[in-house]
Amino acid sequence: MERSRYREEQSHLDQTSSQTATLENLIDQYEKAITQFAFTYVKDWEAAQDITQEVFIKVYEKLNSFQQRSSMKTWLFSITANQCKDYLRVQESGKRKLTSFIQKVFTQQEERSPEDLIQEKQQNTSLAQDVLCLPVKYREIIILYYYEELNTNEIAALLNQSPSSIRTKLDRARKQLKELNERRAEA
């Protein structure tokens, strides 16, 4: 009786050790990509990092139930997408936070009439909507540069791209925002 219990415990320890090793390997291989993917959803680096942690906790808990109907990478990204969607449902203030930030960045802080403030708020809301309408490759750079206050070298390292590529994309994103604003003004 004692031997069978010992074998069961040993088997459980071996399985746990194997799961831990597999998880460590997955973290080494996919953590950066998962975090960047989460960031494109939630547009907040700290939240993306938190989501990444939650993803790997779920993976650890469900590793034995992975049925290999898809690749491990696809499974990880699927879990990440679901975690991001859950996070966005909870975060109602995300758009307001971005609008507020863009308002601070693109406006001067001086006294204005109530009419000017209303017009400015409408413009800032439109600008925030325009930023959210940009392709992801431009949106993430605008957000990292203005919202996260990272410089182009830091963004390049984060996105694994060259600084000159980041500067080019930042310039193109600004031009697209300007064009969207001009089209709205003409309408």
Side-chain angles (χ1 to χ4, degrees):
M1 196 62 130
E2 286 295 316
R3 283 187 183 174
S4 66
R5 182 186 294 172
Y6 173 77
R7 285 184 195 142
E8 285 179 25
E9 288 176 4
Q10 191 61 39
S11 174
H12 179 71
L13 289 174
D14 290 345
Q15 187 178 11
T16 303
S17 178
S18 174
Q19 274 185 287
T20 302
T22 301
L23 181 66
E24 288 173 358
N25 185 27
L26 290 173
I27 290 171
D28 290 343
Q29 193 172 0
Y30 294 109
E31 179 181 23
K32 184 176 180 181
I34 294 293
T35 306
Q36 289 174 341
F37 180 65
F39 179 80
T40 63
Y41 265 91
V42 300
K43 301 166 194 78
D44 180 313
W45 190 249
E46 288 181 24
Q49 289 174 323
D50 290 344
I51 288 169
T52 300
Q53 282 185 329
E54 291 174 25
V55 165
F56 285 112
I57 289 169
K58 281 197 178 203
V59 167
Y60 182 77
E61 292 171 346
K62 308 229 183 238
L63 200 53
N64 287 337
S65 65
F66 176 60
Q67 298 176 357
Q68 299 180 351
R69 291 184 196 157
S70 63
S71 70
M72 183 64 73
K73 182 177 181 179
T74 304
W75 188 55
L76 288 168
F77 277 78
S78 174
I79 293 170
T80 304
N82 289 331
Q83 285 295 116
C84 290
K85 290 173 186 174
D86 290 345
Y87 172 84
L88 290 173
R89 271 188 228 116
V90 171
Q91 293 295 320
E92 295 175 11
S93 65
K95 284 187 179 181
R96 284 181 276 168
K97 186 176 182 182
L98 179 60
T99 302
S100 173
F101 171 76
I102 291 173
Q103 179 180 7
K104 290 176 187 174
V105 170
F106 289 103
T107 61
Q108 298 173 356
Q109 301 297 327
E110 57 187 52
E111 288 193 33
R112 297 187 175 112
S113 71
E115 294 82 12
D116 289 340
L117 291 173
I118 291 171
Q119 183 179 11
E120 180 182 308
K121 185 174 182 175
Q122 289 171 341
Q123 289 171 342
N124 290 330
T125 300
S126 297
L127 179 59
Q129 290 170 346
D130 290 348
V131 168
L132 294 173
C133 289
L134 289 174
V136 172
K137 65 182 180 180
Y138 297 143
R139 180 177 62 216
E140 68 186 353
I141 292 172
I142 287 287
I143 291 170
L144 288 171
Y145 188 78
Y146 289 105
Y147 182 67
E148 296 296 331
E149 298 178 352
L150 299 178
N151 64 41
T152 54
N153 291 331
E154 292 169 325
I155 296 170
L158 176 76
L159 299 178
N160 203 20
Q161 298 177 18
S162 70
S164 63
S165 173
I166 297 300
R167 286 189 291 276
T168 300
K169 288 178 181 176
L170 182 59
D171 185 52
R172 289 178 182 164
R174 288 175 181 149
K175 286 179 182 174
Q176 283 190 11
L177 287 172
K178 184 177 179 183
E179 289 171 7
L180 287 169
N181 189 39
E182 288 172 353
R183 275 189 243 147
R184 190 182 307 91
E186 291 173 1

